[in-house]
Amino acid sequence: MISRIDLRGRELSPRTLPGVVPRARVDVSEAMAVVVPIIDAVRTGGQAAVLDLCERLDGVRPAQLQVPAAVLDVALNQLDPTVREALTESIRRARLVHAAQLPEPHCTEVVPGGTVRQRWIPVERVGLYVPGGLAVYPSSVVMNVVPAQIAGVASLAVVSPPQRDNTGPFAGYPHPSILAACALLGVEEVYAVGGAQAVAMLAYGVAATDGPGCRPVDVITGPGNVYVASAKRALRGVVGIDAEAGPTEIAILADDGADPEHIAADLVSQAEHDPLAAAVLVTPSPALAERVEAALARRVRATTHLERVTAALTGRQSAIVLVDDVAAGLVVVNAYGAEHLEIHTADASQLADGVRNAGAVFVGTATPVSLGDYAAGSNHVLPTGGTSRHASGLSVLSFLRGVQVVEYNQDALADVAERVVALARAEDLPGHADAILARTGGAAGSAR
């Protein structure tokens, strides 16, 4: 069901580990060859091209790109009350956590009369991508929208693929649960577009004959498939992006006392996302490995998405990794840099402080990744593919820009003028020096 990698007695270093930890191979270059013509078609063909691409790639042609407000209202009114309550609680918790992320403006007096203020300014307009392929994710609406709203973004546009199986008022539009989540959050601008064509539409904007169309955005966030990730890569610079999200990952660091049923359940929970999803257990206990394998065999047979889960667990991206001890396991998971890292050890809280590379860390047996996916208050849009070494999950900061406001009076400038002139001379930039000397009584050109 799942392979084993035995690292006991082996050198564990930043040089050796990347080549041995399990990882999916995702060929973005092949996807780029597909998405570049799509992007060009949207840029030159506008709304007509987007609608044609929806019909060709999603098997359905929306009546219009923007979902009417009445359809959003119907979706919310028809939403299962238990799901509505769950989304409401998820929103409440996410708002609590993300509100605490707001940075405070501050002012530093560098010298008397010389200050540098730090301001945080939200981007003007964002595009939020919500997947709708193998599964639909109203929870991703929450995770994208809440931090953007708390950051103070004035204009939000949500895109999600049209669902060809939708009927009635939802025909040709995204899944009703996604529309309901948008309505619950007060998002009025929702488009029935997915894939690379949605990313291109957000980046370039499209005019419409039957409405205002879609204005270009400043930043695009949200997870998607390899084509969405490739389109983000191709359009980086035209528009800001959060990350190039890859298939989901879970890594679990566990000792002999861990519950194999909990571990198996959590591995399956992430494997059901995608055949390329990664499920990795790192443990010093061969006995636990055997118990988890047995539990996996039972749980996989009973799971709804048998084919998808089996493909994920038997793929090269999933494995049980045996190590000498928990300390060695920590080295391995830091090298792996998982999107989601669970710690099931006797000293889980203490060990969590030693984690340097992970999108999110879930501490102890009562904190499964599923909790973070929906209602922990944390964000589930997280770095994948080992990019947690340098990247963070989606947060309020993803929608803010830090702007420095510098203000010096004449005395403060004069006090440092000689040093600035010296540095300008050292860099052979005499114009820089002249700009100082013009204000402090020096002769133009004397810095040359």
Side-chain angles (χ1 to χ4, degrees), residues 344-392:
H344 296 235
T345 63
D347 56 349
S349 294
Q350 181 179 350
L351 203 62
D353 292 336
V355 175
R356 297 186 58 83
N357 303 324
V361 183
F362 299 83
V363 182
T365 190
T367 318
V369 168
S370 298
L371 176 64
D373 282 344
Y374 298 110
S378 55
N379 204 293
H380 76 204
V381 182
L382 300 167
T384 61
T387 58
S388 65
R389 299 189 314 276
H390 55 79
S392 304

Side-chain angles (χ1 to χ4, degrees), residues 408-411 413-414 417 421 431-444:
Y408 272 53
N409 63 22
Q410 189 64 31
D411 289 342
L413 175 62
V421 169
H432 285 60
D434 284 347
I436 298 295
L437 295 170
R439 291 164 168 81
T440 58

Side-chain angles (χ1 to χ4, degrees), residues 264-291:
D266 294 350
L267 294 174
V268 170
S269 75
Q270 293 305 296
E272 72 178 348
H273 275 288
D274 189 293
L276 290 175
V280 177
L281 168 63
V282 180
T283 181
S285 172
L288 177 67
E290 292 177 4
R291 294 194 294 268

Side-chain angles (χ1 to χ4, degrees), residues 58 129-137 160-163 178 224-225 273 308:
D58 294 310
Y129 191 95
V130 178
L134 292 175
V136 293
Y137 299 98
S160 191
Q163 303 292 309
I178 289 174
N225 61 21
H273 275 288
R308 193 186 308 166

Side-chain angles (χ1 to χ4, degrees), residues 202-255:
L202 291 172
Y204 291 117
V206 296
T209 57
D210 55 355
C214 177
R215 293 187 291 113
V217 303
D218 301 307
V219 172
I220 299 173
T221 71
N225 61 21
V226 67
Y227 300 105
V228 172
S230 298
K232 282 183 171 182
R233 175 180 293 187
L235 289 165
R236 183 194 294 267
V238 176
V239 68
I241 67 169
D242 56 341
E244 299 175 18
T248 191
E249 305 162 343
I250 181 173
I252 300 176
L253 177 57
D255 60 19

Side-chain angles (χ1 to χ4, degrees), residues 161-186:
Q163 303 292 309
R164 63 183 176 186
D165 295 332
N166 282 3
T167 58
F170 309 116
Y173 294 127
H175 194 275
S177 65
I178 289 174
L179 302 180
C182 290
L184 196 59
L185 284 156

